[in-house]
Amino acid sequence: MKKSERLNYITNILSLQGMVRIRDLSQKLRVSEMTIRRDLDSLVQVNIADLIPGGAILKKIPSSDLGEENYLFSAAGSKMIQEKIKICRKAISLVEINDTIAIDTGTTTEQLLQFIPSRLPLTIICFTLNILLKIHEKENWEIIFTGGRFHRNTLMFESPEVVELIKKMRINKAFISAAGIDEKLGVTCANHYEVETKRAVMQSSDTKILLSDSSKFGKVKIAYFADLKDFDLVITDTGLDPYYQDMIKDLGLKLFLV
């Protein structure tokens, strides 16, 4: 593969996932890690990527360049990436053999997949393109992909039929993301089309787990889908304001700070 082809491939992966790992790219493209490092340096020079230990993340897009509710998956993916990785590492420690799990849309939930042992037998319910692309080759995982109308800004598929299908399922653990979490106005997301799918997943799940970095607390987005008390467990980073730590505990929820 020529350098230009590698750069196009890496750029596409960054756009979908928000980050790449040097080791993974080296194995996938069958070139040395040093070659991948040089490729990433080229992307840094043209303001496509920022380097992190062991890989790179998509270049952050200044908030002034985005509308308040114009949530772009590729832009969100580069924010607080280290916190998201820690959150997902903890979340996966809760998954058990033969669990049925649902993975919500979002750049935090996507990080779950790198920590799931490929030999662990699971059923995974997903409704986003980025999740499907990461799991479709895993032989030990039963995959239920719901389909529906595709939304490019979040890579999510949804439809009324999908909602009804999910309501008929039973899920051991649901990993849910949020764009805003507020004491009075609840748990919110950036797009109205996400709401019914999120609610259906929560309704069908035994354990509802909210995955969110601390920057989302105290924020309110346009589309309300749940209250904090509707969850069983919250996993966030140690930057969470003590006020919200106390509030979560007062609601009787389990709280993990990572």
Side-chain angles (χ1 to χ4, degrees):
M1 185 179 287
K2 297 179 181 178
K3 180 176 181 178
S4 60
E5 295 173 328
R6 292 197 308 272
L7 292 178
N8 284 335
Y9 176 85
I10 295 170
T11 300
N12 287 336
I13 297 298
L14 278 169
S15 297
L16 283 173
Q17 301 180 5
M19 71 170 293
V20 292
R21 294 185 178 279
I22 292 172
R23 180 179 299 177
D24 294 343
L25 289 174
S26 175
Q27 294 173 352
K28 183 70 175 180
L29 300 179
R30 297 181 180 179
V31 296
S32 69
E33 292 189 8
M34 183 59 68
T35 296
I36 296 299
R37 291 181 188 277
R38 288 196 291 266
D39 289 344
L40 293 179
D41 285 338
S42 297
L43 295 179
V44 169
Q45 292 174 14
V46 293
N47 291 320
I48 291 176
D50 287 322
L51 296 179
I52 62 172
I57 58 176
L58 192 68
K59 184 77 173 180
K60 291 184 178 180
I61 300 175
S63 58
S64 59
D65 294 342
L66 301 173
E68 173 62 22
E69 299 306 334
N70 185 17
Y71 176 95
L72 295 177
F73 187 89
S74 58
S78 63
K79 298 177 181 178
M80 298 194 73
I81 188 67
Q82 296 300 329
E83 288 82 359
K84 293 174 182 179
I85 288 173
K86 292 178 182 178
I87 289 166
C88 289
R89 191 188 297 273
K90 177 61 182 178
I92 285 304
S93 71
L94 305 175
V95 175
E96 300 173 292
I97 293 174
N98 294 320
D99 265 353
T100 295
I101 66 174
I103 302 179
D104 193 13
T105 181
T107 54
T108 300
T109 48
E110 182 190 35
Q111 303 300 329
L112 286 165
L113 300 170
Q114 63 181 301
F115 301 114
I116 305 177
S118 59
R119 293 183 179 181
L120 183 67
L122 294 172
T123 297
I124 299 180
I125 299 169
C126 67
F127 37 86
T128 58
L129 179 61
N130 57 313
I131 299 296
L132 180 63
L133 290 175
K134 282 178 173 267
I135 66 177
H136 74 281
E137 294 181 345
K138 303 294 185 179
E139 296 181 358
N140 290 323
W141 299 350
E142 186 74 22
I143 299 170
I144 300 175
F145 181 71
T146 58
R149 179 185 177 186
F150 181 58
H151 298 270
R152 287 180 176 81
N153 67 327
T154 57
L155 305 181
M156 178 181 175
F157 293 81
E158 60 80 32
S159 72
E161 292 77 17
V162 165
V163 171
E164 292 306 311
L165 174 63
I166 292 174
K167 286 181 179 179
K168 295 177 183 178
M169 299 178 185
R170 291 299 176 259
I171 301 164
N172 297 111
K173 299 177 180 75
F175 296 99
I176 306 295
S177 66
I181 304 165
D182 182 77
E183 177 184 11
K184 294 181 179 179
L185 298 179
V187 186
T188 53
C189 53
N191 304 284
H192 286 293
Y193 64 75
E194 299 178 59
V195 170
E196 292 306 317
T197 303
K198 287 176 179 283
R199 288 178 175 171
V201 169
M202 293 180 66
Q203 177 182 319
S204 297
S205 298
D206 180 40
T207 304
K208 295 164 277 292
I209 304 169
L210 179 61
L211 307 181
S212 179
D213 66 72
S214 59
S215 71
K216 305 298 194 320
F217 286 82
K219 291 185 177 180
V220 178
K221 296 298 180 179
I222 194 168
Y224 162 84
F225 69 90
D227 290 317
L228 258 178
K229 64 181 178 60
D230 297 325
F231 291 89
D232 300 294
L233 194 154
V234 177
I235 306 177
T236 186
D237 60 85
T238 55
L240 182 63
D241 190 299
Y243 175 81
Y244 277 100
Q245 294 185 34
D246 292 339
M247 186 181 73
I248 291 170
K249 293 174 182 177
D250 289 343
L251 289 171
L253 310 183
K254 291 184 180 179
L255 172 64
F256 290 109
L257 298 176
V258 296

